[in-house]
Amino acid sequence: MKQALGQYRGLIGTMRIYMSGWRRLYAILTSPLFHFSLGLSIVNLFFESSFRWAELVNSSFPTILGFGLAAYTLIFALMGGTLQSALAQKMVAGENKSYLRFINITFFHAIFIQIITYIFYIVSRSSLITASVAGLGVCHGIDFVAVSRRLHDISNFSGELMTIYSVMLMISLLFGVFRLANIASEQAE
C-alpha cells in the first residue's frame, strides 16, 4: 500500500512541475497554436467538413507520438554537458525559467496532449458512454436519442480540437529544436 501511495505522490509531483511550467492552463489558453486549433474546430463545426478526427488519430497518432518521444529522448540523450549547462543558465526572456526547462516542458506538453488525445479517442469509441446515457434515460426519463446526439456532437468537437491542437504542437516542437540548434551554434562559436 505504501508503495502505491508513493507512486501516486510521484505522479502528482510530476504533474505539479508540468502545470507550474505552463502556469496552470493559462499558457495553453493564451497560446496562438491553441487559438488556431479552436478557430479551425469552430469552422469545421459550422461547415460540417469531412474531417474525420478519429480516423486520423487511429491511423497517424502512434507514428506522430513515436516521433515526438524519439526526438525528446534523442535531444536529451545526445546533448553534451557543455550545451546542457549553457541551456540551464540561459533564461527565457521575460520568464523565470531556463531554456533547458522550457524545451523540456515544450516536448513534454506536446507528447502529453497527444497521449490524452489518443486516450480520448479510445474512450469516445467505447460503448460505456452510450450505455451510461441509456441507463440515465431509463432511470430518469431522459430522451436518450437527443442526449446521445448532443454527446456525440460534443465528443466530435472536442476530438477535432484536441487532434488539431496535437498536430499544431508539432510546430512548437519544431521551434524548440530550432531554438536548441541556435543555442548550440552560439555555444560552438
Side-chain angles (χ1 to χ4, degrees):
M1 183 69 163
K2 262 187 165 177
Q3 184 179 2
L5 288 176
Q7 291 175 359
Y8 278 99
R9 283 188 198 111
L11 176 65
I12 292 168
T14 301
M15 290 306 297
R16 278 191 185 140
I17 293 168
Y18 162 66
M19 292 303 285
S20 71
W22 274 90
R23 291 186 303 236
R24 308 200 191 255
L25 296 181
Y26 175 78
I28 296 170
L29 296 176
T30 59
S31 163
L33 297 176
F34 182 77
H35 293 162
F36 181 79
S37 303
L38 182 61
L40 196 54
S41 297
I42 291 170
V43 167
N44 282 341
L45 181 69
F46 286 113
F47 291 104
E48 295 184 26
S49 74
S50 60
F51 177 63
R52 303 281 183 252
W53 71 271
E55 293 171 13
L56 178 66
V57 169
N58 189 34
S59 64
S60 301
F61 265 50
T63 304
I64 292 171
L65 187 57
F67 166 77
L69 285 168
Y72 185 58
T73 303
L74 282 173
I75 283 176
F76 286 97
L78 300 177
M79 185 184 305
T82 307
L83 178 58
Q84 191 170 4
S85 66
L87 286 172
Q89 293 171 7
K90 189 172 176 100
M91 301 301 277
V92 176
E95 298 191 29
N96 190 22
K97 65 181 152 205
S98 68
Y99 267 101
L100 184 61
R101 185 170 179 177
F102 179 77
I103 290 169
N104 186 25
I105 290 170
T106 300
F107 270 88
F108 184 87
H109 177 67
I111 293 166
F112 185 69
I113 295 296
Q114 289 168 2
I115 291 169
I116 294 297
T117 302
Y118 202 69
I119 291 170
F120 184 80
Y121 159 75
I122 292 168
V123 170
S124 70
R125 295 297 167 238
S126 86
S127 60
L128 177 64
I129 295 171
T130 307
S132 299
V133 171
L136 284 173
V138 169
C139 293
H140 300 289
I142 299 171
D143 181 8
F144 168 72
V145 175
V147 171
S148 181
R149 190 175 305 133
R150 190 60 47 210
L151 281 175
H152 178 73
D153 292 343
I154 291 168
S155 174
N156 273 339
F157 178 77
S158 301
E160 282 185 17
L161 174 61
M162 291 190 318
T163 302
I164 294 168
Y165 185 53
S166 292
V167 171
M168 295 302 296
L169 285 174
M170 296 305 286
I171 293 172
S172 72
L173 295 184
L174 182 65
F175 284 130
V177 171
F178 180 75
R179 286 179 181 156
L180 185 61
N182 278 341
I183 293 170
S185 68
E186 287 173 7
Q187 197 66 21
E189 293 173 359

